[in-house]
Amino acid sequence: MNGVPMEHGLVLAATLFSLGLAGLMLRRSMLFVLMSLEIMLNAAGLAFIVGSTAWNQPDGQAMFLLVITLAAAEASVGLALMIQLYQRFHSIKLDNVSRMRG
Amino acid sequence: MELAFYLSGLVAVLATVGVITGTSPVHSVVYLIVSLIAVALVFFALGAPFAGVLEIIIYAGAIMVLFVFVVMMLNLRADAERTPPLWRQPIYWLGPSLLALALLAALVALITAGDIEMAIDGELITARAIGLTLFGPWLMVVELSAILLLAALVTASHVGRRSDPGHSSTPRNAPNRGDTP
């Protein structure tokens, strides 16, 4: 069989998503939390691209465009929140704002 | 094509490990840029050049430049996470981790069951086909994403405003004042 099997692409996407989730759970700095979210969104987009190229349909790539749009919106709002956090606490540790014990 | 796929995938995974284990913010951002470029090369290898170009231009170009800009503006430095707070106790993360591991095991078992029988032969999907899809049957989704971007713009410009200096230096900076014994 020539070409990359679809399983390998999906395993790569799952690996990247798991790494992003691990980073999200391990790190307490808001910058690393935002970067982990970007990794996870990127892994979801990779899965869309793998499906799109496996079936030779352009719908997966259109969906990838929407994932990129969502990532841009999320990054802008998250970075604005991070600037506010730094201005108020002079640190970007998320434990500073855990007063709600969430 | 196969060599490019596996090599780029390996680079992407290693760079992502570098992101989540790094201590310096700038190093982690640069590792993340490397990871995104590696994923873009995976897209090129799979036969999705339009998605790869978009990944480089928008992700590695625009979003990561935003990250670098904020890191430079806030002048963050490598800080050891020296106070392990309450989340180190296993009761806070054991349950969700076990459930997520069960889901991951199910996903990997489904993927490696071997009945997908599909190979990606690297046939190109051109930008013309994607554009016809986007502005044909997906037109409403495009307009909804435009509304999403507008909402993000308004939110970012409202939240990210500089608070007045008399207000930001009030004792609200002390996070736990008076509510811990």
Side-chain angles (χ1 to χ4, degrees), chain A residues 22-101:
Chain A
L24 184 68
M25 293 174 66
L26 286 177
R27 305 306 294 261
R28 288 293 93 186
S29 169
M30 190 169 178
L31 179 74
F32 286 93
V33 167
L34 285 178
M35 284 198 291
S36 300
L37 285 174
E38 293 293 326
I39 291 170
M40 292 164 74
L41 279 174
N42 195 30
L46 175 62
F48 273 119
I49 292 294
V50 168
S52 163
T53 50
W55 274 282
N56 278 327
Q57 294 290 324
D59 298 85
Q61 303 201 19
M63 201 67 205
F64 175 73
L65 228 89
L66 301 178
V67 170
I68 276 191
T69 309
L70 179 68
E74 180 258 340
S76 61
V77 175
L79 287 173
L81 281 172
M82 194 171 89
I83 290 175
Q84 277 296 318
L85 183 67
Y86 188 78
Q87 280 184 0
R88 287 174 191 262
F89 293 96
H90 297 287
S91 163
I92 55 168
K93 297 284 181 57
L94 281 177
D95 293 325
N96 289 332
V97 284
S98 66
R99 188 179 291 180
M100 289 178 71
R101 304 285 175 212

Side-chain angles (χ1 to χ4, degrees), chain A residues 4 8 27 65 84 88 99, chain B residues 6 22 54 120 161 173 175:
Chain A
V4 179
H8 294 178
R27 305 306 294 261
L65 228 89
Q84 277 296 318
R88 287 174 191 262
R99 188 179 291 180
Chain B
Y6 291 114
L54 279 182
I120 301 167
R161 75 195 186 284
N173 289 333

Side-chain angles (χ1 to χ4, degrees), chain B residues 138-151:
Chain B
W138 287 52
L139 187 58
M140 183 58 76
V141 185
V142 173
E143 298 188 3
L144 284 178
S145 66
I147 294 177
L148 171 71
L149 280 178
L150 177 65

Side-chain angles (χ1 to χ4, degrees), chain B residues 61-85:
Chain B
I63 300 179
M64 293 321 292
V65 163
L66 209 63
F67 272 85
V68 172
F69 179 69
V70 170
V71 167
M72 292 296 170
M73 189 176 76
L74 297 185
N75 199 9
L76 302 174
R77 59 184 64 85
D79 46 358
E81 302 188 356
R82 60 190 182 283
T83 57

Side-chain angles (χ1 to χ4, degrees), chain B:
Chain B
M1 171 196 144
E2 290 90 353
L3 180 65
F5 173 79
Y6 291 114
L7 204 58
S8 315
L10 185 65
V11 169
V13 170
L14 290 180
T16 309
V17 170
V19 172
I20 67 172
T21 58
T23 55
S24 167
V26 180
H27 291 179
S28 289
V29 169
V30 175
Y31 266 128
L32 185 50
I33 293 175
V34 173
S35 168
L36 293 175
I37 291 176
V39 173
L41 278 179
V42 168
F43 290 167
F44 282 122
L46 289 180
F50 185 60
V53 167
L54 279 182
E55 173 99 5
I56 288 182
I57 291 177
I58 298 181
Y59 249 122
I63 300 179
M64 293 321 292
V65 163
L66 209 63
F67 272 85
V68 172
F69 179 69
V70 170
V71 167
M72 292 296 170
M73 189 176 76
L74 297 185
N75 199 9
L76 302 174
R77 59 184 64 85
D79 46 358
E81 302 188 356
R82 60 190 182 283
T83 57
L86 74 170
W87 66 275
R88 295 272 184 196
Q89 303 166 9
I91 190 174
Y92 291 105
W93 51 265
L94 198 58
S97 300
L98 284 180
L99 291 178
L101 277 181
L103 285 179
L104 182 66
L107 180 66
V108 171
L110 279 177
I111 287 175
T112 58
D115 52 355
I116 299 181
E117 296 290 333
M118 267 190 186
I120 301 167
D121 50 359
E123 185 178 344
L124 293 187
I125 297 175
T126 60
R128 183 174 184 275
I130 302 164
L132 283 177
T133 306
L134 266 181
F135 290 97
W138 287 52
L139 187 58
M140 183 58 76
V141 185
V142 173
E143 298 188 3
L144 284 178
S145 66
I147 294 177
L148 171 71
L149 280 178
L150 177 65
L153 171 69
V154 172
T155 309
S157 61
H158 177 70
V159 172
R161 75 195 186 284
R162 180 173 293 275
S163 53
D164 48 344
H167 188 256
S168 66
S169 62
T170 52
R172 287 170 57 172
N173 289 333
N176 285 326
R177 187 174 54 95
D179 58 355
T180 53

